Amino acid sequence: MNELYDVLKTKDINEAIQTVEDKDIIAGDRMLSNADIEFNLPGREYKLQKALKNLKKQYDYIIIDTPPA
């Protein structure tokens, strides 16, 4: 199963979308906790922005839920 971590690694974001009831989601997992260490090159802060850009025409709103830390 593709997760948000896989999208940040280079997977196509469309492969990570799962439909749950009437909503589309991209799940996160524990691998994201190490992402800040693994993705340490300049521009890493734009990885999610670049991935979401491909969904701009499909959705009116995208809600990002992140842990408090």
Side-chain angles (χ1 to χ4, degrees), residues 4 28-29 32-33 64-69:
L4 183 56
D29 66 358
L32 282 174
S33 63
I64 300 172
D65 183 22
T66 60

Side-chain angles (χ1 to χ4, degrees), residues 8 35-36 38-51:
L8 296 175
D36 59 337
E38 183 174 346
F39 304 123
N40 57 11
L41 298 176
R44 69 179 182 211
E45 61 273 14
Y46 299 107
K47 284 184 165 290
L48 182 58
Q49 179 184 10
K50 288 177 184 177

Side-chain angles (χ1 to χ4, degrees), residues 12-51:
D12 179 16
I13 195 165
N14 291 300
E15 294 178 21
I17 296 172
Q18 303 168 42
T19 301
V20 177
E21 295 178 11
D22 63 341
K23 295 162 190 67
D24 290 342
I25 66 166
I26 299 174
D29 66 358
R30 291 186 178 165
M31 293 296 294
L32 282 174
S33 63
N34 295 326
D36 59 337
I37 295 168
E38 183 174 346
F39 304 123
N40 57 11
L41 298 176
R44 69 179 182 211
E45 61 273 14
Y46 299 107
K47 284 184 165 290
L48 182 58
Q49 179 184 10
K50 288 177 184 177

Side-chain angles (χ1 to χ4, degrees), residues 49-64:
Q49 179 184 10
K50 288 177 184 177
L52 291 174
K53 185 184 274 189
N54 296 329
L55 300 178
K56 201 172 192 178
K57 293 180 181 177
Q58 292 175 302
Y59 298 96
D60 293 326
Y61 297 96
I62 296 175
I63 299 170
I64 300 172

Side-chain angles (χ1 to χ4, degrees), residues 1-15:
M1 179 185 302
N2 290 316
E3 309 281 345
L4 183 56
Y5 176 80
D6 297 323
V7 170
L8 296 175
K9 288 284 287 187
T10 61
K11 294 278 183 181
D12 179 16
I13 195 165
N14 291 300
E15 294 178 21

